[in-house]
């Protein structure tokens, strides 16, 4: 590898594993290294692991340490982004960990942090499904509904770092709303995440509805999507409801930030066009003509690498 090229390191910190990636200035992912988080070793032990993985990656790829122009980390939890502080991360069991300060001392490079969903969104904007597009909203449909909003090539982090927390848009009417992990009722993720889809499926089975889902021992979101594709009416109704609220949330966002493109990723989105076409149908139904004109909805393309790419990109889009 050329020794003159500027490179960026992205860190995707999860509860069980840490992925570290090396990107060039265009956001191409050149190499990754993955190792265990070992959260039981507490913050200092995890930081030691991260340093080890970063140095291992740089050495293995044969780059000079001086080529590393910056390091970024995507971290699950509530952060004080400008201070580089993790205020609370239930996944890691952390409270008030000054990640930026610790990693800068260990690596001798400027470190920027953001939450994992924002990092994943930025990855798609830098070199993924929304490359070259300045106004984008990204959804990650997994255990929860993660989001990231990019306006004029800048991540919308907001006053308390809560910008882009679209999984907690209150879209479900009170009469149908259930409690969300955040403590509020009626959040988008209570119906449109894997967790929400599984919940609705189990409820239908408990009510004794006629559905093929009743024969599945431990229902997953993929089961519900598969059964819906196969024509099961109850599964189809559940998927349709998840899509309805996603489309509604996009219609709301389209009159707030008016993105040119919505990117949808995460495990649930693996259902592909079956789900995306439904979401788009509802989006078109609910949104204003001028807010939806020439706006499209596309699948994410970076998959599990979006987080490391976007974390590295925090130095480009900061
Ligand atoms: Zn919520």
């Amino acid at each position: 590898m050329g020794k003159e090229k500027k490179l960026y390191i992205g860190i995707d910190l999860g509860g069980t594993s840490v992925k570290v990636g090396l990107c060039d200035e265009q956001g191409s992912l050149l190499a990754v290294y993955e190792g265990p988080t070992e959260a039981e070793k507490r913050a200092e032990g995890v930081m030691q692991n991260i340093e080890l993985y970063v140095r291992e990656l740089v050495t293995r790829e044969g780059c000079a340490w001086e080529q590393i122009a910056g390091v970024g980390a995507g971290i699950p939890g509530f952060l004080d982004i400008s201070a580089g502080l993790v205020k609370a991360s239930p996944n890691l069991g952390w409270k008030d960990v000054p990640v930026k300060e610790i990693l800068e001392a260990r690596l001798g490079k400027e470190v920027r942090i953001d939450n994992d969903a924002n990092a994943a969104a930025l990855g798609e904007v830098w070199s993924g499904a929304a490359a070259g597009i300045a106004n984008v909203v990204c959804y990650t449909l997994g255990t929860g509904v993660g989001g990231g909003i990019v306006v004029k090539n800048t991540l919308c982090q907001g006053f308390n770092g809560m910008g882009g927390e679209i999984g907690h848009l209150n879209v479900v009417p009170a009469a149908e709303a259930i409690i969300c992990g955040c403590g509020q009722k009626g959040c988008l993720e209570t119906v449109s995440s894997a967790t929400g889809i599984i919940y609705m499926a189990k409820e239908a089975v408990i009510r004794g509805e006629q559905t093929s889902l009743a024969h599945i021992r431990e229902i997953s979101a993929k089961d519900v999507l598969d059964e819906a594709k196969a024509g099961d009416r109850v599964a189809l109704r559940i998927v349709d409801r998840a899509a309805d609220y996603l489309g509604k949330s996009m219609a709301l966002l389209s009159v707030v930030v008016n993105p040119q493109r919505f990117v949808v990723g995460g495990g649930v989105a693996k259902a592909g066009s079956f789900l995306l076409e439904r979401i788009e149908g509802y989006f078109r139904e609910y949104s204003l003509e001028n807010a939806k004109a020439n706006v499209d909805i596309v699948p994410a393309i970076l998959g599990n690498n979006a987080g490391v790419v976007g974390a590295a990109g925090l130095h480009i889009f900061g």
Side-chain angles (χ1 to χ4, degrees), residues 69-91:
V71 176
I75 304 170
F78 297 101
L79 320 176
D80 181 336
I81 293 162
S82 52
L85 180 76
V86 176
K87 289 197 276 193
S89 175
N91 295 24

Side-chain angles (χ1 to χ4, degrees), residues 9-13 17-23 29-37 48-61 304-305 308:
I9 297 275
I11 300 161
D12 185 1
L13 178 52
S17 72
V18 181
K19 190 187 271 186
V20 179
L22 189 65
C23 289
L29 184 60
L30 308 173
V32 291
Y33 186 94
E34 201 163 357
T37 307
Q48 193 175 357
N49 281 346
I50 291 174
E51 181 187 357
L52 196 76
Y53 304 154
V54 168
R55 292 193 186 275
E56 178 67 31
L57 176 69
V58 171
T59 307
R60 201 185 65 187
E61 294 307 308
N304 292 333
N305 288 329
V308 279

Side-chain angles (χ1 to χ4, degrees), residues 10-272:
I11 300 161
D12 185 1
L13 178 52
T16 53
S17 72
V18 181
K19 190 187 271 186
V20 179
L22 189 65
C23 289
D24 66 13
E25 280 183 285
Q26 284 72 47
S28 301
L29 184 60
L30 308 173
V32 291
Y33 186 94
E34 201 163 357
T37 307
E38 301 183 303
E40 70 280 1
K41 290 187 176 171
R42 312 174 70 91
E44 198 48 44
V46 173
M47 294 297 163
Q48 193 175 357
N49 281 346
I50 291 174
E51 181 187 357
L52 196 76
Y53 304 154
V54 168
R55 292 193 186 275
E56 178 67 31
L57 176 69
V58 171
T59 307
R60 201 185 65 187
E61 294 307 308
C63 358
W65 190 248
E66 296 70 48
Q67 286 180 267
I68 309 301
V71 176
I75 304 170
F78 297 101
L79 320 176
D80 181 336
I81 293 162
S82 52
L85 180 76
V86 176
K87 289 197 276 193
S89 175
N91 295 24
L92 295 161
W94 289 3
K95 215 172 172 308
D96 295 326
V97 178
V99 171
K100 176 180 166 74
E101 191 185 313
I102 299 174
L103 282 182
E104 284 185 345
R106 284 186 170 275
L107 298 169
K109 300 287 180 188
E110 191 198 341
V111 173
R112 294 185 182 177
I113 68 169
D114 211 315
N115 73 57
D116 51 350
N118 277 352
L122 207 50
E124 294 292 344
V125 170
W126 194 12
S127 61
I133 296 181
N135 299 291
V136 183
V137 174
C138 295
Y139 284 70
T140 306
L141 310 179
T143 314
V145 173
I149 297 175
V150 174
V151 177
K152 289 190 179 171
N153 284 316
T154 306
L155 258 177
C156 166
Q157 293 161 325
F159 176 55
N160 285 320
M162 293 297 284
E165 291 285 341
I166 54 189
H168 303 286
L169 274 170
N170 191 315
V171 286
V172 184
E176 300 170 22
I178 59 165
I179 293 254
C180 176
C182 72
Q184 288 290 343
K185 281 177 94 179
C187 294
L188 176 64
E189 77 174 35
T190 63
V191 284
S192 301
S193 64
T195 315
I197 289 170
I198 293 166
Y199 176 84
M200 290 188 282
K202 285 183 175 167
E203 287 289 297
V205 171
I206 290 167
R207 278 196 303 269
E209 292 195 44
Q210 283 288 329
T211 168
S212 49
L213 295 168
H215 309 298
I216 299 169
R217 190 184 290 265
E218 198 57 51
I219 301 172
S220 67
K222 184 176 184 301
D223 291 330
V224 181
L225 285 152
D226 287 346
E227 293 306 319
K229 279 182 193 170
D232 182 85
R233 284 176 55 192
V234 172
L236 201 52
R237 188 189 70 214
I238 292 167
V239 171
D240 197 61
R241 185 163 188 252
D244 187 334
Y245 284 111
L246 283 165
K248 185 168 284 174
S249 72
M250 289 173 179
L252 290 171
L253 291 168
S254 72
V255 287
V256 180
V257 293
N258 188 208
Q260 180 181 345
R261 176 166 290 177
F262 290 97
V263 178
V264 184
V268 175
K270 288 194 181 127

